[in-house]
Amino acid sequence: MAREKKRSDAQERAEREQDPRNDAQALNAVEIVKRESRYLRGHIKEELQNDAPKFSEESVQILKFHGVYQQDDRDLRPKLKKEGKDRHWMMMVRARIPGGVLTPEQYLTFDRLADRYSDYGTLRLTDRQTIQLHGVVKSHLKATIRSIHEALLTTLGACGDLVRNIVCCPAPGDDPYRAELREDMLALADRLGARTNAPYEIWLDGEPVELPELQPEEPLYKEAYLPRKFKIALTPEGDNCVDVYANDVGLVAHLDDGRRHVVGYTILIGGGMGRAAHDGHTYPRVASPFAYVPRERLVDVVTAIVTVYRDYGHRGENRRLGRMKYLVEEKGIPWFREAVEHRIGYRLAEPRRLVWETSEDHLGWQREEDGLSGLGLFIPSGRIQDTEAVRLKSALRDIVREFRPSIRLTAQQNIILSGIRDEHRPDVEKRLREAGVPLPAELSTVRKNAMACVALPTCGLAVAEAERILPDVVAAFERLFEELGLSEEAITIRISGCPNGCSRPYVGEIAFVGRTLGKYEVYLGGDRFGTVLSERFREMVPLNELVASVRPVLEAYVRERGPGEGFGAFVRRVGLARFQSVEPRPS
């Protein structure tokens, strides 16, 4: 039932105008670029026509909204500098794939683009259920993005200060609630998507749009879009395979008594992993319980949350403070709830208590419906490539061409081949084995629960390795876990090449966060269900001592754990202080 609004529209407007966050004189440089971009047009179209290998700084900022990051191959920097040459400039192109679901032809489009336009010839699955192409030179950028659009996908909103690719539990199956979950996710993606015509003008040579002077091209985002990126995740209660607490908005679906239909959602707000090592004002945060809403009101309430953030989020000189988690922390949940209620016109119900049963990815064979199965495959660091030992990229391409499964990308950088006929299961397994691709049952538990960000050589923010060191780190943990009798324990391990934490290290049970080349911070104690933050254990640990630094804590866990107690829960119970003076012992 609607109640009287606590604040009038005039009062709310006055509060926004008086908030120093929105003082035009204090805007950071990116805010100014956005406001002057003419709804993300900038001068990108003109710069695509020149012979320069890179874009201007202003265009670099706007390109992010189009799913493009300008990068260079950092492995080549020393050599090129010595030769007196400029960097080898290239682009990372990321698609927006709501919920990570692709048709066979869409997947094969990315496979072809990787071969044709990427310096590396690989596909990179992200932890937000989408695909990145690395090493696309500027002269090939337009053709790459045009091909993605022709496959009925887009890059708009894959990066930039707006609602990014919305993730959703990818588990296959014919339960009605799974279809409803995806339906709600797509409704959110549609309502919260950017409306600018810029991509069609720039990448598809469309005609410029003309709107009446008083009608904004972006009804939701206005001319300045959001203060920073905004992440949303959906999952059914009990299954936290998407790390729902690490998002600006997490949506946990509650099912009816028969577990067939979605009846409503508990909304979590204010999560986010990013921090800066030398800025004490920044920190990771897990999302807080906010409200419960019936299913039919979900889109309107989430839209109101986004607009509150749009109007009150920090746009000042320190851009690091722009994420919604800082607004939630500063203003508090009661203030945020009142602001949302004012916009929707009714009172929100209290959030429901949540119970979690698993956070593991959906790997292995899974029944979908009569006669059909899905196969979840582990993809090391999300990198789909061919090597001498494992021809993963070729095997997936051949399987998709012949057996026509739909593709479901997971939030843990893996892939599910969905809709495989039962009689084809032996043939699919044979193709994988012939290509040297292991099935999930053949992999250790620690390997299947490990994840790393891209880091070097392509990410401009990386200060240390992540993806390229993961195999050796995992192998060392496999030996240690076998020695300690922990081989069957599902302990999550995350590696990030910098404190921004793209691999969500701060909710991992064991995490290594790059501080400088070859040295890392060690974090321990995240919950196995991804609901609490880990704690910093050690700083500036050399790469070759990472596993040894954790060994004393793991040994104590083996001796002292309670029945069913996970590693993260044990760490939080006994505390890390008792291990600070223990000298690491090599594995």
Side-chain angles (χ1 to χ4, degrees):
M1 182 176 178
R3 67 172 180 177
E4 183 181 352
K5 297 177 180 178
K6 288 190 175 182
R7 295 194 303 255
S8 69
D9 291 333
Q11 287 172 323
E12 186 179 70
R13 184 167 58 252
E15 184 178 337
R16 288 202 305 270
E17 292 171 352
Q18 294 168 9
D19 195 319
R21 301 167 184 275
N22 300 307
D23 181 352
Q25 294 181 346
L27 293 177
N28 63 66
V30 175
E31 283 299 317
I32 296 172
V33 169
K34 288 189 293 185
R35 291 163 192 252
E36 295 178 352
S37 72
R38 297 175 295 117
Y39 296 107
L40 308 183
R41 290 169 176 82
H43 301 289
I44 296 172
K45 190 171 184 177
E46 293 79 5
E47 292 187 37
L48 280 168
Q49 297 171 5
N50 65 40
D51 295 329
K54 64 176 182 176
F55 291 91
S56 67
E57 286 303 313
E58 291 78 7
S59 289
V60 165
Q61 297 301 327
I62 301 306
L63 279 166
K64 294 176 184 179
F65 289 80
H66 294 266
V68 177
Y69 275 82
Q70 181 165 282
Q71 303 175 332
D72 73 288
D73 190 325
R74 296 175 64 179
D75 285 347
L76 295 178
R77 279 187 190 179
K79 177 177 181 292
L80 293 173
K81 185 177 181 179
K82 186 176 181 180
E83 295 173 352
K85 297 178 181 178
D86 194 8
R87 298 177 183 180
H88 176 58
W89 295 103
M90 56 189 183
M91 313 295 152
M92 180 272 282
V93 180
R94 181 187 298 158
R96 185 169 71 97
I97 309 171
V101 176
L102 295 165
T103 66
E105 277 307 321
Q106 287 172 332
Y107 176 82
L108 293 173
T109 293
F110 283 106
D111 182 87
R112 289 191 294 268
L113 290 174
D115 289 341
R116 185 170 185 181
Y117 294 128
S118 167
D119 278 2
Y120 302 97
T122 67
L123 301 175
R124 184 51 154 78
L125 309 185
T126 79
D127 59 11
R128 294 207 67 77
Q129 294 181 305
T130 186
I131 294 176
Q132 294 179 174
L133 297 170
H134 290 268
V136 178
V137 296
K138 183 186 170 193
S139 59
H140 291 157
L141 183 59
K142 186 172 181 177
T144 300
I145 295 180
R146 178 191 289 272
S147 296
I148 292 172
H149 277 265
E150 289 173 348
L152 302 182
L153 295 168
T154 184
T155 61
L156 180 65
C159 318
D161 298 343
L162 33 59
V163 174
R164 295 196 177 183
N165 200 54
I166 300 178
V167 302
C168 182
C169 174
D174 60 353
D175 299 300
Y177 76 83
R178 296 202 177 278
E180 293 168 355
L181 197 67
R182 178 161 176 78
E183 180 181 319
D184 294 340
M185 181 273 300
L186 291 174
L188 284 166
D190 181 65
R191 174 74 70 86
L192 302 174
R195 295 287 185 258
T196 177
N197 198 53
Y200 305 100
E201 298 175 22
I202 295 170
W203 311 111
L204 304 178
D205 297 324
E207 292 298 319
V209 66
E210 294 185 8
L211 292 170
E213 185 176 346
L214 298 179
Q215 180 181 343
E217 191 167 341
E218 293 282 15
L220 174 64
Y221 291 117
K222 314 294 184 181
E223 63 183 16
Y225 293 82
L226 297 180
R228 287 295 305 275
K229 58 188 173 184
F230 197 98
K231 298 180 178 181
I232 299 175
L234 297 86
T235 198
E237 183 182 10
D239 182 354
N240 195 18
C241 65
V242 299
D243 273 340
V244 69
Y245 289 86
N247 288 263
D248 295 271
V249 169
L251 304 172
V252 183
H254 297 282
L255 310 181
D256 61 12
D257 291 340
R259 294 192 59 81
R260 290 185 56 79
H261 297 282
V262 176
V263 295
Y265 291 84
T266 282
I267 300 178
L268 312 167
I269 67 169
M273 294 290 96
R275 55 176 279 266
H278 303 294
D279 188 344
H281 296 97
T282 65
Y283 46 82
R285 189 181 190 278
V286 292
S288 302
F290 178 67
Y292 169 83
V293 297
R295 185 184 175 212
E296 63 272 15
R297 287 181 166 175
L298 177 70
V299 175
D300 288 340
V301 173
V302 174
T303 302
I305 292 171
V306 172
T307 63
V308 169
Y309 169 58
R310 177 198 66 195
D311 294 340
Y312 290 98
H314 179 71
R315 296 178 185 266
E317 293 181 1
N318 190 350
R319 183 169 156 79
R320 297 190 186 102
L321 302 180
R323 289 295 298 274
M324 192 176 82
K325 61 184 177 182
Y326 300 115
L327 179 64
V328 172
E329 191 74 23
E330 177 190 349
K331 297 287 191 179
I333 293 294
W335 177 92
F336 214 105
R337 183 181 292 116
E338 181 185 335
V340 170
E341 289 173 345
H342 173 71
R343 298 184 182 209
I344 61 178
Y346 54 85
R347 188 167 187 169
L348 292 167
E350 291 297 314
R352 296 187 178 183
R353 178 177 175 272
L354 300 176
V355 177
W356 299 104
E357 299 169 359
T358 181
S359 63
E360 294 184 29
D361 224 1
H362 300 277
L363 301 179
W365 284 109
Q366 301 155 70
R367 295 289 298 172
E368 294 188 358
E369 55 183 279
D370 287 345
L372 297 177
S373 297
L375 175 60
L377 289 175
F378 175 74
I379 310 296
S381 292
R383 183 72 65 179
I384 297 179
Q385 61 185 339
D386 282 347
T387 66
E388 290 185 7
V390 181
R391 300 183 305 281
L392 173 63
K393 186 170 179 291
S394 296
L396 287 176
R397 178 177 60 242
D398 292 344
I399 289 170
V400 173
R401 280 177 175 170
E402 181 169 352
F403 302 107
R404 312 301 293 173
S406 63
I407 305 299
R408 294 170 178 260
L409 309 178
T410 82
Q412 297 182 43
Q413 304 171 331
N414 297 315
I415 193 169
I416 299 172
L417 306 175
S418 177
I420 296 174
R421 299 185 65 83
D422 287 347
E423 61 264 31
H424 293 154
R425 285 175 54 161
D427 293 328
V428 170
E429 288 193 9
K430 180 182 178 183
R431 298 292 177 87
L432 293 169
R433 293 186 190 282
E434 289 174 346
V437 180
L439 295 175
E442 300 164 352
L443 298 171
S444 70
T445 302
V446 62
R447 188 170 296 270
K448 290 184 287 188
N449 283 279
M451 189 162 65
C453 68
V454 174
L456 299 172
T458 54
C459 178
L461 298 177
V463 296
E465 296 280 3
E467 178 182 340
R468 295 195 292 197
I469 67 167
L470 184 68
D472 290 340
V473 172
V474 167
F477 270 113
E478 285 176 327
R479 293 190 293 270
L480 178 58
F481 279 26
E482 183 175 0
E483 176 188 337
L484 298 179
L486 294 173
S487 295
E488 300 304 315
E489 290 294 315
I491 298 175
T492 56
I493 297 175
R494 308 278 172 86
I495 304 179
S496 178
C498 79
N500 284 290
C502 290
S503 56
R504 303 191 292 269
Y506 307 113
V507 291
E509 291 180 279
I510 299 174
F512 307 118
V513 176
R515 279 292 303 272
T516 189
L517 192 60
K519 294 187 177 181
Y520 298 78
E521 296 175 332
V522 178
Y523 284 79
L524 302 177
D527 186 90
R528 67 168 50 179
F529 301 125
T531 64
V532 298
L533 290 176
S534 56
E535 179 183 345
R536 186 163 57 192
F537 176 47
R538 296 193 186 280
E539 298 186 67
M540 304 299 283
V541 178
L543 171 60
N544 62 357
E545 297 179 11
L546 291 179
V547 178
S549 71
V550 182
R551 183 184 183 111
V553 190
L554 286 166
E555 290 176 334
Y557 172 60
V558 171
R559 294 191 306 267
E560 304 171 27
R561 59 179 166 173
E565 186 175 36
F567 177 67
F570 168 78
V571 168
R572 295 192 305 279
R573 176 171 64 82
V574 304
L576 286 172
R578 62 177 278 196
F579 302 105
Q580 293 292 353
S581 61
V582 179
E583 288 295 324
R585 184 161 60 86
S587 300

